[in-house]
Amino acid sequence: MKKSIIILLAIFAAFQFTGCVTKQKYNELQNQYKRCQDDLTYVNSENVDFSNAKKQLTAELDAMSLKAKQLTDDTLSLSRRLRQSERDLAKATRDYDDLLKSFAEQNVNNQNQMNDMLSSIDKIKDELNAKENLLNAQQDSLEAARKVLAAKEARIQEMQNVLDQKDAEVKALKTKVSTALKGFEGSGLNVTEKDGKVYVSMEDKLLFASGSWTINEQGLNAIKELARVLENEKDIAVLIEGHTDNLAYRGNGQVKDNWDLSVMRATSVVRAILQNGDIEPVRLSASGRSEYLPIDNANTPEARAKNRRTEIILTPNLDKLFELIQNN
């Protein structure tokens, strides 16, 4: 465009200085002018295009500047966020390192505690094993004691069975004796059961005259009935006890006092039983109690009458029971 303007100025200047030119020259100048006009038109057209392009580029530049500013702002924001993230990362790293350190220390403590616990568990296990061994030993001892106890209980039960059997025999014996001596009830004769024995108690008036040891007829009849029962009860031991009152005996000859009198009366009953029944003498024994085992301690005629008596004590054979006790 600048080149065309310069050519036009040159032509104009030429007209000014020359004043007149040839037709050929004129035509050439005209052609040049026309070309210049065409160039000018082209240049103007290009200038418009360039203006439009400039506007478009300016608009794009503004848009790009705005975008660049936005990017700059975003970059600054991202930079700030990056720095904050870096600070957060650094803090997180420190916290993580502290956590690792704390975890390591805690792990050491936990390991120590675990070792202590394992040691305590081992100790407890040892104690439990010792207690278990002791318990097993105690159980063995207990089992042995149970066996001993069971054996003792069996022996006790056996003894109880023997006692029950003896009690039954005593009751049966009392019934037999009571039945045999029923006719003498009210005559000073009494049959009782006490301590596993049968007591046949006869007052003096049924057996003896005062101060005598000779058995009268009524007493002898009672002894005969009792002897018949004893013949069939071969395991029964017979103890005859003579008892007197507390009045002094004025004896003569070989009987000097109540001791002698009580013994003489007991032996008289023993002889009467042997004479009137088929009874082994080894089953019988005589004992004098004198006045020292009274029924009634009152010092009255009635009490003294009660105390003057002969007791025939029938005892079942307890050899089996004694054998069980001895073995126990």
Side-chain angles (χ1 to χ4, degrees):
M1 181 178 177
K2 288 181 179 181
K3 182 179 178 182
S4 296
I5 294 171
I6 292 172
I7 292 172
L8 288 173
L9 290 175
I11 293 171
F12 178 72
F15 277 111
Q16 289 292 326
F17 290 109
T18 61
C20 65
V21 290
T22 64
K23 187 176 182 180
Q24 181 179 1
K25 189 68 172 175
Y26 176 80
N27 288 333
E28 289 177 0
L29 290 173
Q30 283 286 342
N31 290 332
Q32 288 180 358
Y33 176 75
K34 184 178 180 183
R35 286 194 298 272
C36 288
Q37 285 291 335
D38 291 338
D39 289 339
L40 179 61
T41 300
Y42 176 75
V43 169
N44 288 334
S45 176
E46 282 188 346
N47 187 38
V48 171
D49 292 337
F50 285 145
S51 288
N52 293 333
K54 179 182 178 182
K55 289 179 182 179
Q56 184 178 356
L57 290 172
T58 300
E60 291 178 357
L61 178 61
D62 292 339
M64 292 180 67
S65 296
L66 181 62
K67 187 177 290 186
K69 184 178 183 302
Q70 184 65 41
L71 289 173
T72 300
D73 293 340
D74 292 343
T75 301
L76 292 174
S77 177
L78 289 173
S79 296
R80 288 193 295 269
R81 291 172 60 186
L82 176 61
R83 286 193 296 272
Q84 184 63 40
S85 296
E86 288 175 347
R87 288 193 295 270
D88 292 342
L89 177 61
K91 184 177 182 303
T93 301
R94 289 194 301 272
D95 293 342
Y96 178 72
D97 291 339
D98 292 341
L99 184 61
L100 284 178
K101 182 179 179 182
S102 176
F103 177 76
E105 293 174 353
Q106 187 66 32
N107 190 37
V108 171
N109 292 334
N110 290 339
Q111 187 63 42
N112 292 334
Q113 291 178 0
M114 182 67 70
N115 292 335
D116 293 340
M117 290 177 64
L118 290 174
S119 178
S120 298
I121 290 173
D122 290 338
K123 184 177 180 181
I124 292 172
K125 283 183 179 179
D126 292 339
E127 292 176 355
L128 286 176
N129 288 333
K131 289 182 178 180
E132 185 176 1
N133 293 334
L134 179 60
L135 179 60
N136 290 334
Q138 290 177 344
Q139 286 178 341
D140 292 340
S141 299
L142 181 60
E143 186 62 28
R146 283 176 179 169
K147 291 180 180 179
V148 172
L149 180 60
K152 287 185 178 181
E153 287 178 347
R155 287 194 292 270
I156 290 173
Q157 185 60 47
E158 188 177 359
M159 287 188 286
Q160 185 61 48
N161 293 338
V162 172
L163 286 174
D164 292 342
Q165 181 182 354
K166 293 304 177 183
D167 286 343
E169 292 175 358
V170 169
K171 293 182 184 299
L173 178 62
K174 178 180 178 296
T175 300
K176 291 178 183 179
V177 173
S178 297
T179 301
L181 300 177
K182 187 174 182 62
F184 299 93
E185 292 179 357
S187 302
L189 186 145
N190 186 30
V191 180
T192 58
E193 177 189 347
K194 183 174 66 174
D195 298 330
K197 302 174 184 178
V198 175
Y199 288 76
V200 180
S201 181
M202 299 181 183
E203 296 180 4
D204 269 8
K205 65 181 181 180
L206 178 63
L207 290 174
F208 306 108
S210 179
S212 173
W213 55 88
T214 301
I215 302 173
N216 60 39
E217 184 178 355
Q218 186 181 17
L220 186 58
N221 290 333
I223 291 173
K224 289 178 180 179
E225 295 297 331
L226 179 61
R228 292 192 183 94
V229 174
L230 295 178
E231 279 183 341
N232 298 319
E233 301 293 334
K234 299 187 181 301
D235 289 334
I236 300 299
V238 183
L239 170 64
I240 296 92
E241 290 184 344
H243 300 266
T244 66
D245 58 24
N246 59 353
L247 296 179
Y249 177 73
R250 304 298 180 185
N252 52 51
Q254 62 182 6
V255 179
K256 298 180 176 58
D257 52 23
N258 283 332
W259 280 110
D260 288 344
L261 180 59
S262 64
V263 172
M264 292 298 292
R265 288 180 171 179
T267 54
S268 294
V269 173
V270 168
R271 291 189 186 95
I273 291 173
L274 292 174
Q275 290 169 359
N276 292 279
D278 185 11
I279 301 169
E280 294 181 2
V282 71
R283 293 171 53 195
L284 281 71
S285 59
S287 173
R289 293 289 190 166
S290 185
E291 62 197 68
Y292 299 106
L293 200 64
I295 295 174
D296 192 339
N297 288 317
N299 193 20
T300 64
E302 293 78 12
R304 286 192 290 271
K306 292 179 184 178
N307 294 333
R308 292 191 300 270
R309 70 197 187 280
T310 299
E311 288 187 345
I312 303 173
I313 303 171
L314 309 179
T315 304
N317 187 346
L318 300 177
D319 290 346
K320 185 175 181 180
L321 179 62
F322 292 147
E323 181 181 353
L324 288 173
I325 294 174
Q326 197 169 25
N327 291 334
N328 191 37

